[in-house]
Every structure is written in C-alpha cells, then in structure tokens.
Amino acid sequence: MVTASHINDIVAAKQMPIEAGATYVFDLGYYDYGWWAMLDEANCRIVTRLKSNTPFTAVEQRPVPAGTPILSDRTGYLPGRLAASRRNPMSKLVREVQVVIETGKVLRIFTNDLEASAQEIADLYQRRWAIELFFRWIKQTLKIDHFFGNSETAVRIQIIVALIGFLLLRLAHDANKIIKSPLAFARLIKTNLMQRRTITELLMPPPPPHPDQPRFEFAPASTRAAQKRRSLRATTLKAHHA
C-alpha cells in the first residue's frame, strides 16, 4: 500500500484484511497493542520489536544456546495498564527474545509464539531486514533519492522506469563484457549517452567530426542580420564590377 509520507504505517495496516493463521513480521512502525491483539485473536503469529522503554514482567527464563547472538529468552507479560488508565488489550502470556546484532545493538524481539525456538524467532525478524535492504537498493542502485510526483501513479512510474533502465544496462553489460564492473559500465554509458556509437566502440577515442558536418557559429557576426548584410554587399560588389 502506497501512502503519503505523513501517514503512519499502522494506519495503512489496520485497513488491510487480516489473514488468519499467518505470521506477521513488522518493525516499530506498527507499534499498536490493539492491532497486535486483533492479530492474536485471529491465531496469527506475531514477530516484532519492543521499544527500549517498554516494561516486561518476566515469569520464566528459558535456557539459550551458547555461542549464539541470543542473549535471553523470557516469557511474561506486557504492562497491564496504558495511558489514561486504559487496559492493555495485549495482556496474555507473551515472549521476549533479546538478540545482539553485528553492530553490538541489542534488539528486544517480541512474539506471541511460545513454542518455536528462540533462534527461529530471531531468524524470522532478520528476514524482515530484506525490506530495508530493498529500499536501500532502490536509493543506491536505482539512484532514486527523491520522487518527482506525490501520487501513487507517479511513484510507481518512476520506480518502473528506473528498473527498466537498470535491467537494460545489466543486459547490455552481460552481452558486451567490455568492462568487468557494472557500475563502471553504467558510468561509461552515461558519459557517451549523446554519441551514436556501438557499445564495443565506447572505450575507443571518439572519431573526428565529418568535414561536411554543419557547425553552429555563435559569434556576433553570425546573426541573420549580419549574414543578410554580407550577402547584400556581395551582390552590390558583383553589380559594380559588372
């Protein structure tokens, strides 16, 4: 679902139908206990993150495998009360798995699955990172750092055009192999974009201009009025000599 930048992700998520029995993996942009409870009531498995300041009352500490990024595996309860003395709809027994990632940051992974192993829960959340990598690929590889239009159609067209250009460059690179690096090949194409030469000739020096090729002159004497005066003088001189 494509939404405007000022609309929170959870707003769009609540408009989507819930698929009973499915596994939902999401990040902090979907932090809504009410929506979590709706997923849980539909027998969906939830895998997400807890905020660093979210209290968690542990009732059981489970053993964790040694030599893995998993630091702890606990079952317990989220806060029973929320702001304005509201009851937390997600009040059943749940689970928290703490994992340390490559940067040293510790993630608090939350799930309502009490049966799967801690490693399986951690692997499920890691698969969600593929979405972040996809958007990073769009920005870095497709060179889309901003959108020219705000509508859904404009966004889709720009992404599709960028994908078509990317695929054409990759196909041309694989077919010619004049440069090993696809990035260097793309730069070479960009440099010679306005020259009508075959790809195999791009590494060669450009040919000299054809002697009969018309050239534009931008000197002050190259205007139409100056050319008309020169033509008139030439006609006058011919008539005088005659």
Side-chain angles (χ1 to χ4, degrees):
M1 181 178 293
V2 179
T3 60
S5 59
H6 66 277
I7 297 179
N8 195 286
D9 293 345
I10 189 62
V11 176
K14 288 182 177 180
Q15 298 176 6
M16 297 181 182
I18 295 177
E19 183 180 346
T23 297
Y24 284 79
V25 185
F26 45 90
D27 63 0
L28 294 175
Y30 302 85
Y31 212 89
D32 186 288
Y33 293 142
W35 188 61
W36 296 5
M38 293 172 60
L39 295 175
D40 184 70
E41 290 175 0
N43 295 321
C44 298
R45 177 166 59 171
I46 303 171
V47 179
T48 184
R49 280 177 59 189
L50 290 177
K51 295 180 180 179
S52 58
N53 60 349
T54 299
F56 185 82
T57 304
V59 298
E60 179 189 3
Q61 186 81 30
R62 298 186 176 186
V64 297
T68 65
I70 300 174
L71 302 179
S72 66
D73 182 6
R74 307 185 298 170
T75 57
Y77 298 92
L78 293 171
R81 292 289 177 180
L82 304 177
S85 299
R86 291 184 296 112
R87 178 180 172 274
N88 189 347
M90 195 66 186
S91 57
K92 62 174 291 185
L93 184 67
V94 289
R95 186 176 176 189
E96 179 207 61
V97 177
Q98 293 193 14
V99 181
V100 58
I101 60 177
E102 292 81 359
T103 60
K105 183 179 180 180
V106 177
L107 304 182
R108 301 176 64 194
I109 302 178
F110 168 85
T111 182
N112 61 344
D113 186 348
L114 306 180
E115 304 296 332
S117 66
Q119 187 63 54
E120 180 181 347
I121 299 301
D123 291 342
L124 279 172
Y125 189 78
Q126 186 177 14
R127 288 174 60 185
R128 191 206 63 82
W129 294 344
I131 300 174
E132 305 294 338
L133 296 176
F134 171 70
F135 281 104
R136 185 183 303 176
W137 181 81
I138 285 181
K139 294 178 181 178
Q140 296 180 354
T141 305
L142 298 187
K143 304 301 181 183
I144 299 179
D145 53 0
H146 70 281
F147 290 105
F148 295 103
N150 298 326
S151 66
E152 178 179 349
T153 302
V155 171
R156 292 184 182 275
I157 288 176
Q158 185 172 347
I159 293 177
I160 291 173
V161 169
L163 281 171
I164 291 174
F166 172 78
L167 292 174
L168 288 176
L169 283 172
R170 281 301 178 94
L171 290 172
H173 174 260
D174 293 341
N176 292 274
K177 298 292 185 181
I178 60 174
I179 296 180
K180 292 184 178 180
S181 170
L183 180 59
F185 179 79
R187 291 173 177 171
L188 181 65
I189 295 295
K190 181 179 179 180
T191 305
N192 297 273
L193 193 60
M194 303 306 296
Q195 298 189 29
R196 301 187 64 178
R197 293 196 292 164
T198 62
I199 294 179
T200 56
E201 298 175 343
L202 293 183
L203 292 178
M204 303 177 184
H210 195 275
D212 297 333
Q213 182 177 354
R215 297 188 178 185
F216 293 100
E217 296 183 5
F218 298 97
S222 300
T223 62
R224 289 185 177 180
Q227 295 175 1
K228 187 176 181 179
R229 288 194 297 268
R230 286 198 301 269
S231 177
L232 182 61
R233 286 197 298 266
T235 305
T236 305
L237 288 174
K238 288 181 179 179
H240 177 73
H241 288 299

